[in-house]
Amino acid sequence: MAEIEREAMEYDVVIVGAGPAGLSAAIRLKQLDADLDVVVLEKGSEVGAHILSGAVLDPCGLDALIPDWKEKGAPITVPVKEDNFYMLGEAGQIRIPNFPMPPLMNNHGNYIVSMGNVCRWMAEQAEELGVEIFPGMACSELVYGDNGEVKGVVAGVFGLEKDGSYGPGTEPGMELHGKYVFISEGVRGSLAKEIITKYDLAKGKEVQKYGVGMKEIWEIDPAKHKEGTVTHTMGWPLGSKAGGGSFIYHLENNQVYVGFVVHLNYKNPHLFPYMEYQQFKHHPMVAELLEGGKRVAYGARAITEGGYQSMPKLVAPGAALLGCAAGMVNVPRIKGNHNAMLSGKAAAEAAFDAIKAERSGDELTAYEAEVREGAIGKDLKKVRNVKPMWSKWGLTASLMLGGLDMWTNTLGFSLFGTLGHGKNDAQSTEEASKHKPIDYPKPDGKLSFDRLTNVSFAMTNHEESQPCHLRLADDSLPVSVNLPKYAEPAQRYCPAGVYEIVEKDGQPEFVVNFQNCVHCKTCDIKDPSQNITWTTPQGGDGPNYPNM
Ligand SMILES: Cc1cc2nc3c(=O)[nH]c(=O)nc-3n(C[C@H](O)[C@H](O)[C@H](O)COP(=O)(O)OP(=O)(O)OC[C@H]3O[C@@H](n4cnc5c(N)ncnc54)[C@H](O)[C@@H]3O)c2cc1C
């Protein structure tokens, strides 16, 4: 193939992804020096289109970045008023009192927000400071400099031929070069993956762990709506089949976020995370809340769960990993947005100092030190054993021992040191023959919905004429290995129904409906053969979330 010629644009800092991490970095850079040239590239059709979070926001990140966010009209207006935690059985529930919980679990002072809307507002703040933001521009490749440093990205490639080649209608995109490139792609970023591998950034760290989070927005009967109420549940229907649980957040306008997270280290390949979620809504406590209401949006996204010990090295020559591209979620608090913002701020400050000292293309070691030793490291270190305890010893033991460990860590020590995670989530999947298939009730169309109907509420779109962005290393493997060995779990772990086994001429065939993809990245994580690579499709494709 002939060398592709592209225009190049030079910036001080190039930022990939307009999530809370990337936007915080952009804002901080311009606060420090209005003359810096800063660009943010976002694959969603608009800022916020691909943002899916819970979300209860701990405002500490925003307080540090924009202390007068209230006066500036941030869409952060629903303080948490009530915090409930329930253990569910099939027909009832037990309320766990708040007093034995370590103080870090308290949501007092936090807000129920749409992170999509918070990002839209942050983008306005960034643009007012002079940041250039380009939505609909997917960064599909990294550009390396002569000394092997990350020098920039390729963004805005459109209209590839079906086989991935360049044709007469292909726009080759452009190169955006920076003195530093910030990778803030969120969980399982594809450029982040390349950088972590190329520079061996995960060496000596624990494997990264993940969950898949699914979420619906419901409009409910105003008589049942209690603005500011936060409810978390564990137990039924997952039981001991997998780690995970639900969140129910009452925001404004009679809307409720109803979400469910399933940890991806489950063993039984017959498990169907989406159907567990749908079943959960039939619990009497949840059904009572939702009856008479309607689901207005649906989406899904993976969440990082490895925590402190799984964070890779954060810097490579010319590049830094921000937010969940490096995995900064505090798992028991289910919160990562505050750390994403703090990491953006810290990376910006390190880059500003480096650029002032006329450096470029090197490692921003000051950023790494600030994350590990500053507020983010402290937040994550205290809870580092909760996830490994849950994986090793199950829910009940981990609630007690994890609670104890969080208490002692609050006092400055741990009885357990730092526990490891063991296998990655793909390796955790066991052979289908060791497990029983699970019979899930059919969705009733009122409280529970089939996947394809729900996916239409993610308003996702991928041009059919473009190449499939879900690449199989070996096309035959889903049928030759995954089907006989694991009952091809892609049919079930994907929350958007992308993967199917159909019968063609009496033979099983693996079908990839990439048009349905909601960019959650679960397939890239959970495929037991690690045969699927999620690559970035052209800009503007993917979900179009409202106030997720
Ligand atoms: C179900 C669920 C519930 C959660 N609940 C909470 C909660 O209640 N509170 C909380 O604080 N945290 C919560 N989190 C975690 C929180 O959402 C993350 O920690 C946070 O989103 C990380 O921010 P980020 O900026 O690193 O990444 P993201 O928010 O994921 O943003 C990344 C952005 O980069 C874009 N992007 C990615 N790749 C490219 C590319 N190659 N080119 C261009 N653009 C790209 C994406 O489209 C996206 O807009 C939850 C997460 C999930 C999944």
mmCIF file with all atom_site columns, all heavy atoms in Angstrom, residues 323-335:
data_model
loop_
_atom_site.group_PDB
_atom_site.id
_atom_site.type_symbol
_atom_site.label_atom_id
_atom_site.label_alt_id
_atom_site.label_comp_id
_atom_site.label_asym_id
_atom_site.label_entity_id
_atom_site.label_seq_id
_atom_site.pdbx_PDB_ins_code
_atom_site.Cartn_x
_atom_site.Cartn_y
_atom_site.Cartn_z
_atom_site.occupancy
_atom_site.B_iso_or_equiv
_atom_site.pdbx_formal_charge
_atom_site.auth_seq_id
_atom_site.auth_comp_id
_atom_site.auth_asym_id
_atom_site.auth_atom_id
_atom_site.pdbx_PDB_model_num
ATOM 1  N N   . GLY A 1 323 ? -6.814  8.962  34.140 1.00 0.00 ? 323 GLY A N   1
ATOM 2  C CA  . GLY A 1 323 ? -8.126  8.435  34.533 1.00 0.00 ? 323 GLY A CA  1
ATOM 3  C C   . GLY A 1 323 ? -8.221  6.935  34.357 1.00 0.00 ? 323 GLY A C   1
ATOM 4  O O   . GLY A 1 323 ? -7.301  6.173  34.666 1.00 0.00 ? 323 GLY A O   1
ATOM 5  N N   . CYS A 1 324 ? -9.350  6.494  33.808 1.00 0.00 ? 324 CYS A N   1
ATOM 6  C CA  . CYS A 1 324 ? -9.587  5.053  33.715 1.00 0.00 ? 324 CYS A CA  1
ATOM 7  C C   . CYS A 1 324 ? -8.823  4.381  32.587 1.00 0.00 ? 324 CYS A C   1
ATOM 8  O O   . CYS A 1 324 ? -8.852  3.154  32.487 1.00 0.00 ? 324 CYS A O   1
ATOM 9  C CB  . CYS A 1 324 ? -11.074 4.771  33.667 1.00 0.00 ? 324 CYS A CB  1
ATOM 10 S SG  . CYS A 1 324 ? -11.708 4.737  35.347 1.00 0.00 ? 324 CYS A SG  1
ATOM 11 N N   . ALA A 1 325 ? -8.124  5.139  31.764 1.00 0.00 ? 325 ALA A N   1
ATOM 12 C CA  . ALA A 1 325 ? -7.197  4.499  30.832 1.00 0.00 ? 325 ALA A CA  1
ATOM 13 C C   . ALA A 1 325 ? -6.111  3.785  31.642 1.00 0.00 ? 325 ALA A C   1
ATOM 14 O O   . ALA A 1 325 ? -5.470  2.857  31.162 1.00 0.00 ? 325 ALA A O   1
ATOM 15 C CB  . ALA A 1 325 ? -6.588  5.527  29.883 1.00 0.00 ? 325 ALA A CB  1
ATOM 16 N N   . ALA A 1 326 ? -5.918  4.243  32.884 1.00 0.00 ? 326 ALA A N   1
ATOM 17 C CA  . ALA A 1 326 ? -4.973  3.573  33.776 1.00 0.00 ? 326 ALA A CA  1
ATOM 18 C C   . ALA A 1 326 ? -5.705  2.855  34.908 1.00 0.00 ? 326 ALA A C   1
ATOM 19 O O   . ALA A 1 326 ? -5.063  2.182  35.711 1.00 0.00 ? 326 ALA A O   1
ATOM 20 C CB  . ALA A 1 326 ? -3.988  4.582  34.347 1.00 0.00 ? 326 ALA A CB  1
ATOM 21 N N   . GLY A 1 327 ? -7.042  3.014  35.008 1.00 0.00 ? 327 GLY A N   1
ATOM 22 C CA  . GLY A 1 327 ? -7.818  2.295  36.037 1.00 0.00 ? 327 GLY A CA  1
ATOM 23 C C   . GLY A 1 327 ? -7.768  2.947  37.395 1.00 0.00 ? 327 GLY A C   1
ATOM 24 O O   . GLY A 1 327 ? -7.037  2.494  38.266 1.00 0.00 ? 327 GLY A O   1
ATOM 25 N N   . MET A 1 328 ? -8.537  4.022  37.577 1.00 0.00 ? 328 MET A N   1
ATOM 26 C CA  . MET A 1 328 ? -8.468  4.754  38.849 1.00 0.00 ? 328 MET A CA  1
ATOM 27 C C   . MET A 1 328 ? -9.779  4.712  39.628 1.00 0.00 ? 328 MET A C   1
ATOM 28 O O   . MET A 1 328 ? -10.115 5.644  40.355 1.00 0.00 ? 328 MET A O   1
ATOM 29 C CB  . MET A 1 328 ? -8.028  6.197  38.585 1.00 0.00 ? 328 MET A CB  1
ATOM 30 C CG  . MET A 1 328 ? -6.623  6.282  38.022 1.00 0.00 ? 328 MET A CG  1
ATOM 31 S SD  . MET A 1 328 ? -6.032  7.963  37.877 1.00 0.00 ? 328 MET A SD  1
ATOM 32 C CE  . MET A 1 328 ? -4.488  7.698  36.994 1.00 0.00 ? 328 MET A CE  1
ATOM 33 N N   . VAL A 1 329 ? -10.529 3.612  39.472 1.00 0.00 ? 329 VAL A N   1
ATOM 34 C CA  . VAL A 1 329 ? -11.803 3.498  40.188 1.00 0.00 ? 329 VAL A CA  1
ATOM 35 C C   . VAL A 1 329 ? -11.569 2.955  41.604 1.00 0.00 ? 329 VAL A C   1
ATOM 36 O O   . VAL A 1 329 ? -10.846 1.977  41.793 1.00 0.00 ? 329 VAL A O   1
ATOM 37 C CB  . VAL A 1 329 ? -12.784 2.577  39.426 1.00 0.00 ? 329 VAL A CB  1
ATOM 38 C CG1 . VAL A 1 329 ? -14.031 2.281  40.262 1.00 0.00 ? 329 VAL A CG1 1
ATOM 39 C CG2 . VAL A 1 329 ? -13.185 3.206  38.099 1.00 0.00 ? 329 VAL A CG2 1
ATOM 40 N N   . ASN A 1 330 ? -12.188 3.616  42.559 1.00 0.00 ? 330 ASN A N   1
ATOM 41 C CA  . ASN A 1 330 ? -12.248 3.119  43.931 1.00 0.00 ? 330 ASN A CA  1
ATOM 42 C C   . ASN A 1 330 ? -13.431 2.151  43.965 1.00 0.00 ? 330 ASN A C   1
ATOM 43 O O   . ASN A 1 330 ? -14.587 2.560  43.910 1.00 0.00 ? 330 ASN A O   1
ATOM 44 C CB  . ASN A 1 330 ? -12.469 4.307  44.878 1.00 0.00 ? 330 ASN A CB  1
ATOM 45 C CG  . ASN A 1 330 ? -12.575 3.900  46.334 1.00 0.00 ? 330 ASN A CG  1
ATOM 46 O OD1 . ASN A 1 330 ? -13.223 2.917  46.665 1.00 0.00 ? 330 ASN A OD1 1
ATOM 47 N ND2 . ASN A 1 330 ? -11.942 4.662  47.199 1.00 0.00 ? 330 ASN A ND2 1
ATOM 48 N N   . VAL A 1 331 ? -13.134 0.850  44.010 1.00 0.00 ? 331 VAL A N   1
ATOM 49 C CA  . VAL A 1 331 ? -14.171 -0.167 43.761 1.00 0.00 ? 331 VAL A CA  1
ATOM 50 C C   . VAL A 1 331 ? -15.303 -0.162 44.797 1.00 0.00 ? 331 VAL A C   1
ATOM 51 O O   . VAL A 1 331 ? -16.471 -0.076 44.429 1.00 0.00 ? 331 VAL A O   1
ATOM 52 C CB  . VAL A 1 331 ? -13.551 -1.569 43.598 1.00 0.00 ? 331 VAL A CB  1
ATOM 53 C CG1 . VAL A 1 331 ? -14.619 -2.642 43.473 1.00 0.00 ? 331 VAL A CG1 1
ATOM 54 C CG2 . VAL A 1 331 ? -12.661 -1.593 42.364 1.00 0.00 ? 331 VAL A CG2 1
ATOM 55 N N   . PRO A 1 332 ? -15.011 -0.223 46.113 1.00 0.00 ? 332 PRO A N   1
ATOM 56 C CA  . PRO A 1 332 ? -16.159 -0.253 47.031 1.00 0.00 ? 332 PRO A CA  1
ATOM 57 C C   . PRO A 1 332 ? -16.998 1.022  46.976 1.00 0.00 ? 332 PRO A C   1
ATOM 58 O O   . PRO A 1 332 ? -18.203 0.980  47.203 1.00 0.00 ? 332 PRO A O   1
ATOM 59 C CB  . PRO A 1 332 ? -15.517 -0.433 48.415 1.00 0.00 ? 332 PRO A CB  1
ATOM 60 C CG  . PRO A 1 332 ? -14.087 -0.087 48.241 1.00 0.00 ? 332 PRO A CG  1
ATOM 61 C CD  . PRO A 1 332 ? -13.737 -0.376 46.813 1.00 0.00 ? 332 PRO A CD  1
ATOM 62 N N   . ARG A 1 333 ? -16.390 2.144  46.629 1.00 0.00 ? 333 ARG A N   1
ATOM 63 C CA  . ARG A 1 333 ? -17.182 3.387  46.506 1.00 0.00 ? 333 ARG A CA  1
ATOM 64 C C   . ARG A 1 333 ? -17.837 3.492  45.127 1.00 0.00 ? 333 ARG A C   1
ATOM 65 O O   . ARG A 1 333 ? -18.612 4.400  44.896 1.00 0.00 ? 333 ARG A O   1
ATOM 66 C CB  . ARG A 1 333 ? -16.278 4.609  46.698 1.00 0.00 ? 333 ARG A CB  1
ATOM 67 C CG  . ARG A 1 333 ? -15.661 4.732  48.079 1.00 0.00 ? 333 ARG A CG  1
ATOM 68 C CD  . ARG A 1 333 ? -14.789 5.982  48.158 1.00 0.00 ? 333 ARG A CD  1
ATOM 69 N NE  . ARG A 1 333 ? -15.579 7.203  48.263 1.00 0.00 ? 333 ARG A NE  1
ATOM 70 C CZ  . ARG A 1 333 ? -15.141 8.411  47.903 1.00 0.00 ? 333 ARG A CZ  1
ATOM 71 N NH1 . ARG A 1 333 ? -13.942 8.563  47.389 1.00 0.00 ? 333 ARG A NH1 1
ATOM 72 N NH2 . ARG A 1 333 ? -15.905 9.469  48.048 1.00 0.00 ? 333 ARG A NH2 1
ATOM 73 N N   . ILE A 1 334 ? -17.488 2.602  44.188 1.00 0.00 ? 334 ILE A N   1
ATOM 74 C CA  . ILE A 1 334 ? -17.866 2.681  42.759 1.00 0.00 ? 334 ILE A CA  1
ATOM 75 C C   . ILE A 1 334 ? -17.677 4.098  42.256 1.00 0.00 ? 334 ILE A C   1
ATOM 76 O O   . ILE A 1 334 ? -18.559 4.681  41.612 1.00 0.00 ? 334 ILE A O   1
ATOM 77 C CB  . ILE A 1 334 ? -19.323 2.243  42.454 1.00 0.00 ? 334 ILE A CB  1
ATOM 78 C CG1 . ILE A 1 334 ? -19.882 1.281  43.491 1.00 0.00 ? 334 ILE A CG1 1
ATOM 79 C CG2 . ILE A 1 334 ? -19.434 1.625  41.059 1.00 0.00 ? 334 ILE A CG2 1
ATOM 80 C CD1 . ILE A 1 334 ? -21.360 0.968  43.222 1.00 0.00 ? 334 ILE A CD1 1
ATOM 81 N N   . LYS A 1 335 ? -16.512 4.629  42.504 1.00 0.00 ? 335 LYS A N   1
ATOM 82 C CA  . LYS A 1 335 ? -16.278 6.019  42.071 1.00 0.00 ? 335 LYS A CA  1
ATOM 83 C C   . LYS A 1 335 ? -14.908 6.157  41.420 1.00 0.00 ? 335 LYS A C   1
ATOM 84 O O   . LYS A 1 335 ? -13.894 5.755  41.999 1.00 0.00 ? 335 LYS A O   1
ATOM 85 C CB  . LYS A 1 335 ? -16.347 6.971  43.266 1.00 0.00 ? 335 LYS A CB  1
ATOM 86 C CG  . LYS A 1 335 ? -17.741 7.180  43.787 1.00 0.00 ? 335 LYS A CG  1
ATOM 87 C CD  . LYS A 1 335 ? -17.783 8.279  44.818 1.00 0.00 ? 335 LYS A CD  1
ATOM 88 C CE  . LYS A 1 335 ? -19.159 8.385  45.425 1.00 0.00 ? 335 LYS A CE  1
ATOM 89 N NZ  . LYS A 1 335 ? -19.579 7.160  46.135 1.00 0.00 ? 335 LYS A NZ  1
#
